[in-house]
Amino acid sequence: MPLSKAARRNEIHARKLDLRVYRRDDGQFDIEGHLVDVKPFPVTFLNSSRQADEPVHDLWLRLTVDRTLEVQDAEAHMDIGAYPYCTGVEPNFKTLRGLRIGPGWNRNVRERVGGGQGCTHLVEMLAQMATAALQGIWSELDDEDDTNKPPRERRLRTDLANSCHTYRTDGQFVKVHFPSHYQRNAGNEEG
């Protein structure tokens, strides 16, 4: 276990999130998510109950995107929602068509399927699905292969610049691997 030893405790909730990315035969990509929430003890809701380890949520979501990461189709399905009233929002996820995974993704998703138009858990899963899409489709996104170019000629994709600690434009990684994109900032420079 990579974390320090935990204090004595009892598990009260488990969430399993499974994300997978597929290259389709037609050149598009499917990103599929499956979320399952369970409690290790019986639980009673306002109008339903679950036995120990029986799913509270069992939700599915598929995005189909093209090479530009534009959503071509979206499909949601609830095998199990916390309440019977949860079903019925699945068709609303079709409104994601036309959105592009990239800057503003989470805001745009919330505008279309947030609040009463969607399901909190499916909307949260969409943020993780976007990251999985980028990881899975990584090599398909570049129009040209930069890996064999010398560092001074490599491009740093704009969606990666300043997206995390490693890809900081004032950090050592960018300085070494993408020197033309390096921007010295005395407050954050690693070396």
Side-chain angles (χ1 to χ4, degrees):
M1 179 182 277
L3 300 174
S4 63
K5 185 177 179 182
R8 191 167 171 208
R9 61 195 184 167
N10 293 310
E11 183 178 311
I12 58 172
H13 184 79
R15 171 169 283 181
K16 179 181 176 187
L17 180 59
D18 184 29
L19 303 173
R20 297 178 186 253
V21 181
Y22 301 91
R23 179 186 301 114
R24 295 168 31 143
D25 290 345
D26 64 4
Q28 295 187 12
F29 302 89
D30 283 338
I31 301 92
E32 291 187 359
H34 183 209
L35 180 149
V36 179
D37 283 333
V38 296
K39 304 257 184 225
F41 48 80
V43 62
T44 299
F45 299 108
L46 294 174
N47 64 349
S48 63
S49 61
R50 304 290 190 281
Q51 297 301 313
D53 299 320
E54 184 179 2
V56 173
H57 296 105
D58 191 344
L59 312 173
W60 298 85
L61 190 54
R62 177 187 300 137
L63 294 178
T64 301
V65 301
D66 64 14
R67 283 181 48 84
T68 69
L69 297 177
E70 181 178 310
V71 177
Q72 303 300 305
D73 198 12
E75 179 183 349
H77 182 74
M78 294 185 177
D79 283 343
I80 299 171
Y83 301 101
Y85 307 103
C86 293
T87 61
V89 300
E90 295 99 320
N92 296 353
F93 286 83
K94 295 279 187 198
T95 65
L96 298 173
R97 289 180 183 153
L99 288 185
R100 187 175 315 280
I101 294 172
W105 169 255
N106 293 333
R107 177 181 34 81
N108 291 329
V109 164
R110 285 188 305 274
E111 288 172 359
R112 295 196 184 186
V113 291
Q117 296 302 309
C119 163
T120 300
H121 309 295
L122 290 173
V123 170
E124 290 171 353
M125 186 168 33
L126 283 163
Q128 296 301 312
M129 290 175 73
T131 303
L134 290 170
Q135 291 292 316
I137 305 170
W138 184 273
S139 63
E140 306 287 332
L141 295 179
D142 290 324
D143 293 329
E144 62 186 83
D145 182 9
D146 273 349
T147 57
N148 294 322
K149 290 183 177 181
R152 292 239 172 257
E153 297 177 25
R154 290 185 190 143
R155 293 178 293 122
L156 177 61
R157 293 195 349 240
T158 56
D159 58 330
L160 288 177
N162 294 310
S163 64
C164 70
H165 179 76
T166 296
Y167 280 98
R168 292 183 351 261
T169 55
D170 65 348
Q172 188 65 22
F173 179 80
V174 169
K175 184 177 183 179
V176 170
H177 296 284
F178 301 97
S180 64
H181 299 276
Y182 176 75
Q183 298 173 356
R184 183 181 178 103
N185 180 340
N188 289 329
E189 187 174 345
E190 292 177 351

